[in-house]
Every structure is written in structure tokens, then in C-alpha cells.
Amino acid sequence: PALALLPLVVGQAYAADDGLHKNANPKAPKMTEAEFTKARQIYFERCAGCHGVLRKGATGKPLTPDITLERGSEYLKTFIKYGSPAGMPNWGTSGDFTDEEVDLMARYVQQEPPTPPEYSLADMEKSYKELVPVSKRPTRKMNKLNLDNLFSVTLRDAGEVALIDGDSKKIINIIKTGYAVHISRMSASGRYLFVIGRDAKIDLIDLWMPVPDRVAEVKVGLEARSVETSKFKGYEDKYAIAGTYWPPQYVIMEGSTLKPLKIVSTRGMTVDGEYHPEPRVASIAASHYRPEFVVNAKETGKIMMVDYTDLKNLKTTTIDSAKFLHDGGFDSTGRYFLVAANASNKVAVVDTKEDKLAALVDVGKTPHPGRGANFVHPKFGPVWATSHLGDDTISLIGTDPVKHKASAWKVVETLKGQGGGSLFIKTNPKSKNLWVDTPLNPDAKLNQSVAVFDISKLQSGYEVLPIVEWAQLKGAGAKRVVQAEYNQAGDEVWFSVWGTKDQESALVVVDDKTRKLKAVIKDPKLITPTGKFNVHNTQHDVY
Ligand code: DHE
């Protein structure tokens, strides 16, 4: 009927009123209900992560109609199509969005944001499935794999993970998971692998099976990014925790089955004393010093130390830090957790032994460390490093308050990298190299290569390795190098060459000592690889 005839292009008048999205804001550009539904899905898949479901902004700018209507469609379209060096992806020129989709999204963000439904413990219980009950699982390792050197690789747009044997570089299994899996985490024992999709579906994979595969699943919300498992002595493999972006809450589950046990909402006041309806759960880490999870609420800047010894009488120490908490990792001793408060341009340091804020450190623009990189600086002793989305710098923060007190929790040195748009930085205790990617830089030369510094002569600058060129891929479209991960021995570093869904992608393995190409892993099934998690390094927080 009328709806089917409505054009999907800009500027054209709509023939009839029926089929149009009824917006609370009469100034918003018109769109049909079908367009609104499509845009809402694209927004969820591509935009909500940075800008928030309610579009109040965090890593990305706020996109509420009071702001977007003022900017107007043309400005928004340019921004969406070409991106910005400060981290907005170039959705149009990368080939991810067509011109029609760019136009659609420019109009969508001028409408009032729809509020998604809540998600209860009962909803979780309905989705929960123990695919292989504990009683039917192996009682010892049933395969000959060197599990410590196994890699779990996110196949982003396929909704899968690939398990790859780090020794032979062979794919062991490709497992259907939630939509666009975000991270993989290991249980304390190294047996269970947990993966979480953007759609908040968690899959539990048992690495002891003859061919490692899924044994349980649960959906814990509508949108999520983080999952972790209990690691304190006596609680190994006992609990898992997942944080959701929507609804803003976290859930504690039984580690061996994913049975949901306890939900806690994160709605509340920001560190500035303002109510926030959507404090999304960003990174979560398991404390090594106490039976606690470190739960970082993005928009409020609150770090919750959640004690899991008694779920009925839950004790939580809430630490005020800075707004827009995102990703982070431990220092080399495992005592301090350093987390980027990205849009505040700060790194918060939590002492997990004392449950106190150790420091708030000013760094460059929009820090984005992944889990960061720990190494011993020739002059300042142990440091933890982050690169930035918003500028080309790398901040090195001193982490040893005992033997290097004057340097502790200060930026002791700032390095200049290739450019902004960096997401991940990595080294290994056995390496002299510090690797910095720039996948979100709009310049293809920068997003297709990585910079590598020699830790013993940081001031001599960096070498650029043309990772995408080395992969020798067929086909057009964006190809970004993303996230370095080491093998167990610390002598190989793996990169993803992240192409579009319909084009060839690859993993590129570099010899860490010589910085020369060691292997390219290609397979038609390796669709859009992004994050890679080596079992040993993930289990023991080695980075
Ligand atoms: Fe991530 C970690 C959120 C986009 C790949 N990402 C994280 C963490 C959070 C997060 C909160 C920390 C989890 C933890 O440690 O518990 N990421 C978000 C977003 O909100 C954002 C900005 C937008 C979105 O829509 O999701 C986003 N992330 C991306 C990507 O586009 C990346 C590059 C590709 C992909 O697969 O989606 C991506 N994020 C990763 C990876 C990690 C990660 C690989 C883990 C890094 C590590 O070494 O631990």
C-alpha cells in the first residue's frame, strides 16, 4: 500500500501521512515507520555503543534532538559519511553505509530516541539454556590441543567466534554466538571460555570437549559489552558476571551454567551529583586481592567493587572517579586497575587491595587502552600505557608507588604515534616492542598499518609495518588493522585485518623479534575478525 510506494531518498515529499513515523518533535525531518524501524536497527548495531541508547553521549557526542536539529541534515550527513579524526568512523566512505543509509541515519538522529523495554531476571531465566549439563561434560581434557596457546577470535559481523590453534594456526572450530561478539574472557582454571554479543547473549564454551564447543547460553539484556569470571582463591570458576548497556545493570551468574542469580541496576547519580537514567556498564575485571568484581559504570563515573561472597546480602564499595568510564586493565602486579574515563580525558586508578581510588590521571584526548600495556620504562620503572582515539599521543603512567614513588600515577612520558583513531596498545613481558594500532583514523594509510616502538629507545620514534599490504587481500572496501594480541610464548603478535562483511579478511602474524611477517591466516569463514584473546594471556591478565 502507501507505505511500499514511499521513496527512500532524501528531499522527496511524502505522498500521504499514513506510514509516517509520528515524532514527538514536529521539527524533525519526516521518515516513514519502515525507515524508522530500519534506522533504529542500524543505530543499535553501529551507533548506540558510543552515543548511548538514549543518545545522551559518552565516547561519542550526545545526539539528542535539541542538538541534532540545530546541526541539520546536511551537516550530519557529512559527519556520518566521512567521519572525523577524533574517532567518528567514516561510515559512508568505508563502504559500511550506502548514501541512502547515511541520509536515513541523519534524519533518524533528529527524531526523539525511543526507549527500549526493561529486562528482568524472569526474562533472563526464559532465555537460559544448559545445552550440555555439568553431569554430561568431560571430567578431564578430551583433546590434544595446547589450550594455553588457543586464540578466541571475534568474527564480528558473522555473529561467531573462531577458535584457532596458536601453534598450527589451524581453525579448530567456528561457533555461532550472539550478534557481533565483543569480548572473550577465560575462567580462572582456563577451562571455560565466555563470550558476550552486543545483543547481550552470553555463550559458555567448554575447552575440555573433544572439539571445544558451547555448553550453555543466556541472554542478559538487549545490549552488552562485558563479561568476566570470579578469580579469587576459593571462587575459581564459581561465578560469572555480565554488564549490560541496556538496561543499565549487571547480573551475576553461576559460572559453570550461566544460570542468572542476581541483577543490580546501575541507575543513579553521577559523580557530579546529577541523576542519569542510562549508566551503562563498561569494563568489568575480577579482583585478585578480594572476592570482588570491579564494575565500571560509564556515565556516572562510579566504580563498584562488588563482593560476591554473599549474593543475598550483597556488599558493594562504590568509588567515585570520573565520568565516561570505558575500557581498562591491571598494572603488572595485578593490584591496581587502570580504567579510561574516555570523554573526561582521564585514567582512573583503583587500588583493588584497599578498595580506594589511588589517583585520577590526566592523559591525552579520549584514551582508549583496551587493557593497556605494561612494561618497565628505562628511566621511570614500571609503567602502564594507553593510546588515544582523539589524538596521536601515547601516555605512559608510572605504576610503582613503592620503588618509584615520584613517578607513580603520573604521566611520566608522552610519545607521539602515527595519528588519532587508535583503539589498542599492546606489549608482553617477554617483548621489547610496544604496538599501537590506528583503525579508526580516516586515512587508509594509517588505518592499514601499525606503529611499533622499541621500549629500550622510546624517543627514537616508531617503525610502521604495512599489515594490510602483507595480508594481500582481494576485493575493495575498508580494511583496518585492529588489536594486537600475543601468543602464549610472547614471541608472536597477531593482528586482525578487518574488512567489510562481503570481502576477504585475514589474521596477520608477525615475528615479535624480527618484526617480519610470519604467517597470514585466511579462510572464507574468517568474516570480519576483530578482537583476539589468547587463552593464557586472558586467563592471567598478561598485557
Ligand atoms: Fe569495544 C573492549 C565497548 C566498539 C573491539 N569495548 C571493550 C570494552 C567495552 C567496549 C566496554 C571493555 C570490556 C571489558 O574489558 O570488560 N566498544 C565498546 C563500545 O561501546 C564501542 C565504542 C561502540 C560499539 O558500538 O560497540 C565499541 N569495540 C568496538 C569496535 O568497533 C571494535 C573495534 C570491533 C568489534 O569487534 O566490535 C571493538 N572492544 C573491542 C575489543 C575489546 C573491546 C577487541 C577487548 C580488547 C582487549 O584487549 O581486552
Side-chain angles (χ1 to χ4, degrees):
L3 197 107
L5 297 173
L6 289 170
L8 283 176
V9 280
V10 224
Q12 254 166 300
Y14 289 95
D17 231 19
D18 55 342
L20 283 188
H21 174 67
K22 309 251 181 327
N23 198 283
N25 197 324
K27 288 197 217 125
K30 291 194 173 17
M31 59 195 313
T32 65
E33 209 46 72
E35 285 178 317
F36 187 84
T37 305
K38 181 177 174 192
R40 184 179 175 159
Q41 186 63 23
I42 295 178
Y43 183 86
F44 162 68
E45 289 175 7
R46 303 289 187 179
C47 321
C50 287
H51 299 282
V53 171
L54 303 179
R55 296 201 227 123
K56 290 187 176 294
T59 309
K61 296 241 156 64
L63 293 174
T64 39
D66 53 321
I67 297 164
T68 50
L69 280 166
E70 195 147 294
R71 297 271 187 279
S73 298
E74 286 315 308
Y75 173 92
L76 293 168
K77 272 161 57 179
T78 307
F79 222 77
I80 296 168
K81 182 163 178 175
Y82 298 101
S84 81
M88 171 75 180
N90 51 328
W91 295 113
T93 48
S94 68
D96 288 295
F97 290 6
T98 61
D99 279 350
E100 284 72 26
E101 282 167 340
V102 168
D103 173 66
L104 182 73
M105 297 317 292
R107 284 181 291 142
Y108 177 76
V109 296
Q110 296 174 72
Q111 322 289 320
E112 292 295 332
T115 307
E118 298 298 320
Y119 202 86
S120 65
L121 193 67
D123 293 326
M124 288 181 204
E125 278 162 356
K126 258 185 261 156
S127 75
Y128 155 71
K129 275 192 214 123
E130 212 184 327
L131 304 166
V132 182
V134 176
S135 60
K136 299 241 164 72
R137 293 186 204 162
T139 49
R140 61 188 169 85
K141 182 173 161 244
M142 299 298 282
N143 57 59
K144 295 214 163 71
L145 295 166
N146 174 13
L147 291 182
D148 276 337
N149 201 28
L150 194 79
F151 286 72
S152 173
V153 179
T154 297
L155 303 178
R156 190 190 183 285
D157 292 356
E160 295 168 343
V161 291
L163 301 183
I164 301 183
D165 176 19
D167 297 348
S168 67
K169 320 277 186 283
K170 291 222 164 68
I171 299 175
I172 303 303
N173 199 5
I174 293 202
I175 299 173
K176 273 263 162 254
T177 57
Y179 168 75
V181 159
H182 214 87
I183 62 165
S184 296
R185 287 281 184 262
M186 285 308 306
S187 71
S189 72
R191 171 179 181 174
Y192 288 112
L193 175 71
F194 295 76
V195 296
I196 186 151
R198 271 189 177 64
D199 56 359
K201 180 166 176 269
I202 306 177
D203 288 284
L204 175 64
I205 295 163
D206 183 356
L207 299 184
W208 280 8
M209 290 165 91
V211 180
D213 213 333
R214 291 176 337 121
V215 289
E217 65 175 49
V218 68
K219 190 165 153 58
V220 291
L222 302 184
E223 231 209 300
R225 298 292 183 280
S226 48
V227 65
E228 179 58 299
T229 71
S230 52
K231 289 200 172 154
F232 191 68
K233 208 168 172 297
Y235 291 90
E236 293 95 338
D237 295 19
K238 189 166 167 63
Y239 293 120
I241 181 171
T244 40
Y245 268 18
W246 191 272
Q249 60 200 26
Y250 61 87
V251 56
I252 298 175
M253 295 155 281
E254 201 170 73
S256 56
T257 65
L258 299 180
K259 182 178 163 39
L261 303 172
K262 173 105 187 170
I263 312 185
V264 181
S265 171
T266 54
R267 286 187 173 105
M269 309 311 274
T270 69
V271 288
D272 299 338
E274 224 181 309
Y275 178 74
H276 200 291
E278 189 192 356
R280 298 176 286 166
V281 177
S283 48
I284 303 181
S287 170
H288 303 280
Y289 279 82
R290 291 168 184 250
E292 288 179 347
F293 293 120
V294 185
V295 178
N296 297 288
K298 188 188 289 291
E299 281 78 3
T300 51
K302 304 255 175 178
I303 303 172
M304 288 153 292
M305 313 297 285
V306 180
D307 181 327
Y308 48 69
T309 51
D310 183 357
L311 298 185
K312 277 261 175 290
N313 303 285
L314 195 75
K315 271 195 263 159
T316 303
T317 304
T318 303
I319 300 172
D320 281 11
S321 66
K323 289 196 288 193
F324 310 117
L325 297 172
H326 191 75
D327 51 348
F330 286 102
D331 75 313
S332 60
T333 68
R335 171 167 170 177
Y336 298 96
F337 188 75
L338 293 98
V339 53
N342 64 12
S344 300
N345 307 324
K346 290 184 196 310
V347 166
V349 185
V350 176
D351 179 349
T352 63
K353 189 174 171 199
E354 301 292 336
D355 275 6
K356 283 198 172 119
L357 187 74
L360 266 182
V361 187
D362 286 304
V363 292
K365 189 161 190 291
T366 327
H368 195 289
R371 284 167 286 166
N374 286 295
F375 59 92
V376 179
H377 189 282
K379 191 162 155 208
F380 301 106
V383 294
W384 178 93
T386 182
S387 54
H388 299 87
L389 256 171
D391 67 31
D392 59 1
T393 66
I394 294 129
S395 304
L396 312 186
I397 298 173
T399 59
D400 178 8
V402 179
K403 291 200 190 119
H404 297 85
K405 201 166 171 205
S407 312
W409 320 132
K410 293 195 180 87
V411 173
V412 292
E413 186 168 354
T414 302
L415 307 174
K416 232 175 151 39
Q418 283 209 83
S422 175
L423 289 179
F424 301 108
I425 184 164
K426 191 63 65 83
T427 187
N428 181 276
K430 303 218 177 83
S431 172
K432 287 227 132 332
N433 288 326
L434 178 67
W435 303 87
V436 184
D437 69 7
T438 35
L440 292 192
N441 194 295
D443 182 345
K445 248 179 103 171
L446 302 199
N447 66 42
Q448 299 198 351
S449 62
V450 293
V452 52
F453 290 85
D454 182 334
I455 287 168
S456 58
K457 354 178 238 228
L458 289 164
Q459 280 311 322
S460 316
Y462 52 83
E463 186 185 353
V464 176
L465 301 189
I467 303 292
V468 171
E469 201 181 299
W470 286 354
Q472 299 204 357
L473 295 177
K474 296 190 281 280
K479 294 175 181 60
R480 306 170 200 271
V481 184
V482 68
Q483 204 233 16
E485 172 68 315
Y486 275 85
N487 63 343
Q488 182 199 2
D491 58 8
E492 281 175 2
V493 57
W494 293 36
F495 295 94
S496 302
V497 176
W498 173 19
T500 49
K501 181 157 77 182
D502 51 347
Q503 301 286 353
E504 200 179 34
S505 288
L507 298 175
V508 171
V509 182
V510 177
D511 183 305
D512 188 64
K513 233 194 181 84
T514 62
R515 299 180 178 175
K516 299 262 181 298
L517 176 66
K518 188 161 179 187
V520 178
I521 308 174
K522 281 188 199 173
D523 191 292
K525 295 191 291 288
L526 280 186
I527 297 163
T528 58
T530 54
K532 300 162 297 304
F533 303 87
N534 172 272
V535 165
H536 172 84
N537 295 339
T538 309
Q539 182 188 354
H540 300 287
D541 290 309
V542 179
Y543 38 77

